[in-house]
Amino acid sequence: MSETSAEHTGQDGWIACLTYKSLATAPPSEPELSTLVSKARTRNRMLNVTGMLIYERGAFLQTLEGPKDKLDTLWTSIKQDRRHEHIEILTEHIAPARLFSDWDLLLHSRNDNAAPVPKAASVAPPAIDAHIRKLRELALNADDVRINAFFASLQDEGWTSDAVVTLLIEPTARALGDAWLADECSEFDLTIGLSMMQLAGHAVRRHTSGSAIRNTQYKILLAVAPGEQHMLGTSILADQMTDAGWRVDMAFPDSDEALFNQLRAEHPDVVDIGLSDAMARPQALPRLRTTIDHSRLAASDHPTVISVGGRLFAEAAATAASVGADYARLTAAGASIRMAELVGMSRATKTANRQPGG
Ligand SMILES: Cc1cc2nc3c(=O)[nH]c(=O)nc-3n(C[C@H](O)[C@H](O)[C@H](O)COP(=O)(O)O)c2cc1C
């Protein structure tokens, strides 16, 4: 493995991940495969490494995840192992969460000679199988927005993050491995799909654990200022907010009225109104100020934080106060954290105002 900075694997919880494929030097018999896996499990458990191993028709596909130094040690052993050859790393990266949190090494084998192994997906009720199939398609289409929205809706229905990870994310990761082995997708699709499942798993866990700011799932309406054509900044923000576990809706209103109607209908916690990132047009500011004043009235029954963005703000030529907004995002980075704080504060103010005498 190449060197990656140590701070990413330590106390902050980030872990190293490696996915590779290889060919068996000789097809393992059933007892050989189970010996390999049971020894691997013992060692992985000691090293705090989790992962999956898929074996089918002479090919291995393995994902390993854990502290970087431990993974390096393990990898040194695995790549020297004479039982396989033509080893090719598919991805090697640092991630905020494990994909296989509960498995020291999950074996998924379709070796004709191998003993049947427990397969979570095969005992899953049909409804869950349908979810896995849907997720597999979304992951192969690299549709992270829908994946996150889907998990968010399940969590709204009461699914716990453990259930989402164990019953859906892990089986979907295996289904992606199967799709690759069956030549139904490319390596590129497989690795993108696995990364997506990993990020989604992270968002799901953050949704139900962690700080007060992160454990409430907020909703943001990302709007371009009425009539604006350019929305690059807004779509970058959409990805960012989705990754951060927010529910994201988009609006491309052609008039103020259209925007107000959407605000009244959706009650977002934040509405972000974006001016063009391509052009700096100071004359657009008074108009934006009017839109924001009226948006506050339209959203008056729900505490809604109003944020703005666009080149004028990124270059700090204009401030949030100059247009009557609560927040101006200079860049998309960190915006979700600041917005969540503002939502928390605005809710607290609203509650205080509701108290008798408040
Ligand atoms: C395809 C394949 C996957 C393997 N995966 C693991 C694993 O996840 N964990 C593990 O400890 N050993 C795994 N092994 C076995 C290691 O290569 C190695 O034999 C074992 O870790 C003992 O290491 P040592 O020979 O350096 O003592 C795997 C072997 C093969 C062929």
Side-chain angles (χ1 to χ4, degrees), residues 28 68 74 94 160 344 358:
K68 183 173 178 329
L74 185 56
I94 298 291
T160 64

Side-chain angles (χ1 to χ4, degrees), residues 270-289:
V270 176
V271 57
D272 180 276
I273 306 178
L275 283 179
S276 171
D277 272 304
M279 288 168 290
R281 283 170 302 139
Q283 70 276 19
L285 291 178
R287 169 105 189 70
L288 182 59
R289 186 170 185 113

Side-chain angles (χ1 to χ4, degrees), residues 20 36 40 43-44 60 62 64 74 77-78 81 83-84:
Y20 72 90
L36 186 158
R43 188 170 180 202
N44 291 8
F60 289 109
Q62 187 170 30
L64 292 164
L74 185 56
S77 297
I78 293 178
D81 197 308
R83 285 169 287 185
H84 62 165

